[in-house]
Amino acid sequence: MSRSSMASVHTSEESANDVQTIVAESAVQQLLDALDDADCRAILDATREQALTVKEVSEAHDLPLSTTYRKLDLLTEAGLLEERTRIRQSGKHANEYARLVDDVVISLGPRGETEVRVSQRKSPEQAVSFISVIGD
């Protein structure tokens, strides 16, 4: 989710997990746009077990590099992927993308507001926390 969306985050406790509520319709729309795209969903599936570079994503899904960069930006901005650096002994490091979420549940609240519940990984090795995104 973009930094501007994070300005309206409220934190509370639910079991042992942090719950963040984002009351920004734009954040909900950004997430839904990313999930509505078949290529984005395929990228999320491909990065489930391991981080991939742009080139690896492009080749795995037969996408042009320009399209791959656009999809990765969309997923990163929506908070579904994390960009990090893959260190190589050759000194030519590459950006790689790791999936941040385990699952996403979309529902309508009692007043018709859209609620998106994201089970989000802190990192592939750490425990899962939850984020709720609410929009009107």
Side-chain angles (χ1 to χ4, degrees), residues 55-73:
K55 185 176 179 182
E56 291 167 341
V57 170
S58 175
E59 290 173 355
H61 298 288
D62 198 27
L63 294 171
L65 280 174
S66 60
T67 301
T68 304
Y69 277 108
R70 215 171 36 254
K71 304 296 181 179
L72 291 170
D73 284 344

Side-chain angles (χ1 to χ4, degrees), residues 21-83:
T21 302
I22 302 168
V23 190
E25 187 175 336
S26 62
V28 171
Q29 192 59 53
Q30 190 176 33
L31 186 65
L32 295 176
D33 288 345
L35 294 173
D36 187 42
D37 186 291
D39 291 330
C40 287
R41 290 191 309 272
I43 291 168
L44 286 171
D45 186 50
T47 56
R48 180 174 19 106
E49 297 296 326
Q50 66 180 8
L52 299 174
T53 65
V54 175
K55 185 176 179 182
E56 291 167 341
V57 170
S58 175
E59 290 173 355
H61 298 288
D62 198 27
L63 294 171
L65 280 174
S66 60
T67 301
T68 304
Y69 277 108
R70 215 171 36 254
K71 304 296 181 179
L72 291 170
D73 284 344
L74 181 63
L75 290 163
T76 302
E77 281 293 314
L80 299 172
L81 287 182
E82 171 184 53
E83 181 179 5

Side-chain angles (χ1 to χ4, degrees), residues 18 111 119:
D18 291 334
R111 295 180 300 274
S119 172

Side-chain angles (χ1 to χ4, degrees), residues 6 9 11 14 17 27 32 39 43 48 51 53 58 62 73 75 85 91 94 96 102 105 111-112 124 126 128:
M6 298 303 284
V9 172
T11 303
E14 182 176 290
N17 300 312
L32 295 176
D39 291 330
I43 291 168
R48 180 174 19 106
T53 65
S58 175
D62 198 27
D73 284 344
L75 290 163
T85 303
E96 65 180 15
D102 284 323
V105 177
R111 295 180 300 274
Q126 293 177 332
V128 175

Side-chain angles (χ1 to χ4, degrees), residues 19 43 45 53 66 83 90 98 100 103 122 128 130 134-135:
V19 175
I43 291 168
D45 186 50
T53 65
S66 60
E83 181 179 5
S90 67
L100 290 175
D103 57 68
K122 292 181 181 180
V128 175
F130 293 93
I134 300 175

